[in-house]
């Protein structure tokens, strides 16, 4: 019994039946380029857009700087220990501020804080 490859070779042979006409690839790129549609050049409006874009960037930058400055000043006025009447009040304000921030970060409630304080005293 002959294999499938031998049957195909016996019927069709080993010659390549696919051929390209002579000189086909010599001018193929020119023919393809002729068939492509013309590409339209975009119209660039340079006057107004060139002027307004840097102004917009500058305005956004200035707004961002003023926002950051106002947030920093607002945060400093609320937590300013210098406004305290005594040194003890200033230290207490600083400790309370940091303690509250640490407790919020650690997600501790009053019961957890009391348990920590009690374990430190024992």
């Amino acid at each position: 019994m002959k294999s499938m490859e031998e049957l195909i070779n016996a019927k069709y042979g080993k010659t390549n039946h696919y051929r390209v006409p002579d000189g086909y690839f010599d001018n193929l790129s020119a023919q393809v380029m002729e068939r492509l549609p013309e590409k339209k050049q975009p119209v660039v409006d340079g006057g107004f857009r060139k002027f307004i874009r840097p102004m917009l960037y500058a305005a956004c930058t200035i707004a961002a700087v003023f926002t950051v400055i106002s947030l920093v000043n607002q945060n400093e006025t609320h937590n300013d220990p210098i406004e305290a009447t005594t040194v003890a009040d200033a230290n207490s304000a600083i400790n309370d501020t940091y303690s509250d921030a640490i407790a919020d970060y650690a997600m501790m409630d009053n019961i957890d804080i009391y348990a920590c304080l009690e374990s430190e005293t024992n």
Side-chain angles (χ1 to χ4, degrees), residues 57-70:
Y57 291 153
C60 289
T61 303
I62 291 170
V65 166
F66 279 124
T67 302
V68 168
I69 289 172
S70 67

Side-chain angles (χ1 to χ4, degrees), residues 30-42:
Q31 289 176 356
V32 170
M33 293 304 286
E34 287 176 4
R35 292 181 184 174
L36 290 175
E38 287 293 322
K39 187 175 184 181
K40 296 180 182 178
Q41 294 294 331

Side-chain angles (χ1 to χ4, degrees), residues 80-82 84-99:
D80 193 9
I82 297 174
T85 55
T86 64
V87 175
D89 290 342
N91 287 337
S92 175
I94 291 171
N95 289 338
D96 288 345
T97 302
Y98 291 123
S99 298

Side-chain angles (χ1 to χ4, degrees), residues 42-119:
V43 177
V44 178
D45 180 17
F48 185 69
R49 288 185 182 172
K50 282 186 180 180
F51 174 74
I52 201 72
R53 184 171 285 167
M55 294 296 188
L56 212 78
Y57 291 153
C60 289
T61 303
I62 291 170
V65 166
F66 279 124
T67 302
V68 168
I69 289 172
S70 67
L71 288 174
V72 168
N73 285 338
Q74 181 182 9
N75 194 19
E76 286 179 1
T77 57
H78 289 297
N79 296 330
D80 193 9
I82 297 174
E83 293 179 4
T85 55
T86 64
V87 175
D89 290 342
N91 287 337
S92 175
I94 291 171
N95 289 338
D96 288 345
T97 302
Y98 291 123
S99 298
D100 289 343
I102 291 170
D104 287 341
Y105 183 74
M107 290 192 259
M108 296 176 65
D109 58 0
N110 288 342
I111 296 171
D112 294 333
I113 294 171
Y114 294 143
C116 287
L117 290 174
E118 187 175 320
S119 67

